[in-house]
Amino acid sequence: MKYFFFDIDGTLTNIHTGEIVPSALETLRRLEANGHMVAIATGRAYYKTTAFAEKAGIRNLVANGGAAFVIDGKLVRNRPLDREKALTVIREADALGYGILVAINDSTDVVMRDQRFIEQAGERREPTNYILKENMEWDDLEDIYKIYISIPEEEEYRMKNRDLLGHIRMNTPYFWYQHDAKDEGIRDMVAYMGGDIHDVVVFGDGENDMVMFRKEWTSIAMGNGYPPLLEKADYVTDAAEDDGIRNACLHFGWID
């Protein structure tokens, strides 16, 4: 039995259309029929992953950058960020005058103490429910799932604690902190199931998949992928839309 983990964008889906590649979906069903486990592995929040998983008929997943995992449709865990490290980052950004949004649960909700984030960076591109709490103290926050800071890229150097937690910027006037440990989520999920990590197979295409390409298991990169990822991969298959998942599984004999 193998444990297969698939990234979403550009791996299970056509990067140009965002649609699930038909041959990929067919291959997932064939893998399951052959007794293997199939799962998603994504940096997306859990709430943002469930609709895709349901559409694809996938009942296992690693989400929230490895902090959450689901087995047979049941959420087993979903950890927030390290609280003390998160508060350190928040306090520094606040002192420097940047706007801050904090996701205190796994949803579209974010809390803010003032309007600085929106004034400095505008509203987020994704659906967001902004909750203004002017009298809130940062220390009042119990769970912190994500932190959004309206800091321009050329000013990131001002934050001395910038690298205390994993952070991302995707062509936005702000960056955000979130878990970046899909490999740990995969390892923990397989251990929870009593499996052997050497039986893990991961498929990915992007820079954020670098972390889950580990020596302990088999790592397969899509042909349309991030060049350094291709170099790190055990095997490079075709692009997603060129039936890359199916072709790789045929190559290794996981399906016939």
Side-chain angles (χ1 to χ4, degrees):
M1 176 180 178
K2 295 288 185 182
Y3 300 85
F4 288 88
F5 293 85
F6 299 90
D7 175 52
I8 297 176
D9 300 311
T11 300
L12 285 173
T13 68
N14 183 318
I15 196 66
H16 306 293
T17 66
E19 295 297 318
I20 302 173
V21 176
S23 65
L25 200 56
E26 177 195 4
T27 300
L28 267 54
R29 300 289 86 84
R30 291 168 69 182
L31 289 170
E32 290 172 326
N34 287 344
H36 303 299
M37 189 211 74
V38 167
I40 290 169
T42 179
R44 297 184 189 183
Y46 167 64
Y47 82 89
K48 294 168 68 173
T49 310
T50 52
F52 179 89
E54 184 175 347
K55 181 178 180 180
I58 300 174
R59 295 181 54 78
N60 307 294
L61 61 96
V62 168
N64 191 16
F69 66 83
V70 172
I71 297 175
D72 196 23
K74 180 183 177 181
L75 179 64
V76 178
R77 78 157 194 222
N78 192 5
R79 287 196 310 246
L81 293 169
D82 181 289
R83 184 173 181 274
E84 290 308 313
K85 290 181 179 179
L87 287 173
T88 298
V89 168
I90 289 170
R91 293 189 192 107
E92 182 179 29
D94 191 26
L96 289 170
Y98 297 111
I100 301 164
L101 306 175
V102 179
I104 57 174
N105 51 42
D106 194 303
S107 74
T108 60
D109 293 346
V110 296
V111 296
M112 56 188 185
R113 294 203 308 186
D114 50 48
Q115 298 284 347
R116 281 184 297 176
F117 184 94
I118 296 174
E119 291 168 355
Q120 295 170 358
E123 295 192 355
R124 295 185 59 231
R125 296 176 180 176
E126 300 181 14
T128 304
N129 180 32
Y130 301 92
I131 303 171
L132 179 62
K133 293 188 175 184
E134 294 179 337
N135 298 319
M136 177 182 64
E137 296 293 337
W138 296 125
D139 284 344
D140 293 339
L141 299 175
E142 295 183 8
D143 292 334
I144 301 172
Y145 281 81
K146 291 189 180 183
I147 308 164
Y148 302 90
I149 301 175
S150 58
I151 182 171
E153 188 169 7
E154 63 273 15
E155 295 181 19
E156 286 185 18
Y157 73 92
R158 298 184 64 200
M159 288 193 60
K160 306 307 179 186
N161 292 297
R162 177 185 59 180
D163 298 325
L164 200 57
L165 295 166
H167 56 86
I168 298 174
R169 182 188 295 272
M170 294 185 177
N171 299 315
T172 56
Y174 60 89
F175 72 10
W176 65 95
Y177 288 90
Q178 66 176 43
H179 288 284
D180 184 24
K182 288 196 285 187
D183 58 326
E184 292 181 15
I186 291 169
R187 186 180 293 109
D188 292 348
M189 180 173 170
V190 172
Y192 185 90
M193 298 177 71
D196 186 335
I197 61 169
H198 296 96
D199 290 326
V200 167
V201 181
V202 300
F203 282 76
D205 73 300
E207 182 177 2
N208 67 334
D209 295 320
M210 292 282 284
V211 68
M212 73 173 183
F213 273 39
R214 306 285 300 180
K215 293 182 179 179
E216 299 98 310
W217 51 64
T218 304
S219 302
I220 299 176
M222 312 307 292
N224 54 300
Y226 178 59
L229 188 75
L230 304 186
E231 296 177 6
K232 194 176 182 181
D234 296 308
Y235 181 76
V236 178
T237 187
D238 300 300
E241 57 269 30
D242 294 329
D243 305 324
I245 289 177
R246 182 180 66 187
N247 294 343
C249 290
L250 285 169
H251 171 82
F252 284 98
W254 296 319
I255 62 172
D256 51 31

